Amino acid sequence: VQLQASGGGVVQAGGSLRLHCAASGRTFSNYVMGWFRQAPGKEREFVAAISWSGSTKRYADSVKGRFTISRDNAKNTLYLQMSSLKPDDTASYYCATVQDTNWSSPLYLGQGTLVTVSS
């Protein structure tokens, strides 16, 4: 499956953004999907993941209560609604397929989108 994230940009602290991830190729609905991010000079980190049906979701502690992951299998699209953004959320965000047995471990990362949160 090929993945392309979009929707990033510059936003003030406290603001919101919605990221999209368009999938093509193999059947999108077969995959557990996730979002990961990498800030300059830092290691990549897990943000959120969602089961193939959308019924189960997991979040990193740092984004819990502020970010919401969702998917539309009919549109082959993954979303990340980000609210109450903080400067620490500044990073390139990537969508990915993830391992069924370890949702915090990506299998395939797509092209990222940059999110910059100004203070």
Side-chain angles (χ1 to χ4, degrees):
V1 62
Q2 287 77 47
L3 303 170
Q4 176 67 59
S6 63
V10 180
V11 61
Q12 287 191 329
S16 299
L17 277 177
R18 192 186 195 200
L19 304 184
H20 300 75
C21 174
S24 61
R26 297 189 177 185
T27 306
F28 174 72
S29 59
N30 286 349
Y31 296 94
V32 179
M33 298 295 299
W35 286 96
F36 296 79
R37 67 186 182 185
Q38 187 166 18
K42 295 186 177 181
E43 293 187 354
R44 184 179 62 217
E45 63 176 354
F46 167 79
V47 175
I50 186 170
S51 63
W52 65 269
S53 69
S55 61
T56 303
K57 304 175 184 182
R58 295 177 186 167
Y59 298 93
D61 288 343
S62 59
V63 307
K64 204 170 291 184
R66 301 188 298 121
F67 290 11
T68 302
I69 189 171
S70 61
R71 68 192 296 166
D72 186 335
N73 289 338
K75 295 182 179 179
N76 287 350
T77 304
L78 179 73
Y79 303 98
L80 185 68
Q81 177 68 46
M82 305 186 295
S83 303
S84 301
L85 282 161
K86 306 173 182 179
D88 284 350
D89 295 319
T90 295
S92 290
Y93 284 73
Y94 302 86
C95 57
T97 56
V98 302
Q99 295 187 32
D100 290 346
T101 55
N102 182 0
W103 286 19
S104 62
S105 180
L107 284 174
Y108 172 73
L109 284 168
Q111 297 275 356
T113 186
L114 179 62
V115 173
T116 303
V117 184
S118 61
S119 56

